[in-house]
Amino acid sequence: MNNIQKSTATIQNALPDFAPEIAIILGSGLGKITDIMDVKATISYSELAGFPQTNVVGHDGVVLLGTVGGKNVMFLKGRKHLYEGNAVDSLKTMIRTIKSLGVQTLMLTNAAGSLIKSYGPGSLMAISDHINLTGTNPLIGDNDDEWGPRFPPMENAWDADLRKNLMSAANKAGITMGEGVYCQFLGPTFETPAEIGMARAIGADLVGMSTVTENIIARHCGLQCIGISAVTNLAAGMGDVALSHDQTLEGAAKAEQNMAKLIREFIVNL
Ligand code: HPA
């Protein structure tokens, strides 16, 4: 058995006959969102073959299975980032395991810097499209034909119908949410003001160091994706607060409660 088959079996054995409709990967500082779940099983990444062994503060390394408003849901707390240097294999294992479990919809959440002044720390933005500015791609190398095509199209990287549902969930929950183009930089440095100027010029509304990588792996194997950014700061050169990981976690904490409400409303209406 390969790592994906082993991890799929471990998760299935932890809660037999449980079919999650949606998997949600939680970004930095957004771990408390799992409070909306009636948890039925908890599996540590350390028990899952090939899963990311996370070591960034705010990334827990745990899979939770349970229900939200009666719907079967799988939460994944923690993910590897490209800047850690060895992220791609574990991200592929994690996302292809989600696919193997029969999930059709993957929700990706992150903490991001905003290029739109009216969406400051604590606001939420739906990801409408992305720009991969990492200079790399997780699908480089031999194509894994059993998972997807050599040249995956990316026109529907972020599913338009799911985004409509997310917008109406936001309305119902009384939450103001924008939407925008997310640009992934490689990190781990935050951007320079000049880099933010470039990102703006090429059409970015949000910047961060994750999510595009996961989206590419997910689209390759046919998962439909919906993305939400928790704005933790105005991008470099735009605000008066120095950027740091602590500041990211502080900003995420501001958005966390609304994000939880929004995700709950979205799932209930699935
Ligand atoms: N840049 C990159 N990543 C981030 C930021 C940012 O401004 N905020 C939170 N994650």
Side-chain angles (χ1 to χ4, degrees), residues 111-114 190-191 207-209 232-236 243 248:
S114 168
F190 286 102
E191 301 72 33
V207 290
M209 306 176 195
T232 58
N233 56 279
L234 290 176
L243 301 188
T248 297

Side-chain angles (χ1 to χ4, degrees), residues 188-201:
T189 50
F190 286 102
E191 301 72 33
T192 63
E195 286 165 344
I196 292 304
M198 173 191 68
R200 177 179 299 108

Side-chain angles (χ1 to χ4, degrees), residues 172-224:
K172 274 195 202 158
I175 293 165
T176 309
M177 184 178 61
E179 67 169 55
V181 174
Y182 178 91
C183 180
Q184 184 180 347
F185 281 81
L186 181 57
T189 50
F190 286 102
E191 301 72 33
T192 63
E195 286 165 344
I196 292 304
M198 173 191 68
R200 177 179 299 108
I202 62 175
D205 301 303
L206 296 157
V207 290
M209 306 176 195
S210 66
T211 309
V212 171
T213 308
E214 293 91 314
N215 173 272
I216 290 171
I217 298 167
R219 291 303 298 142
H220 179 248
C221 68
L223 286 165
Q224 291 180 318

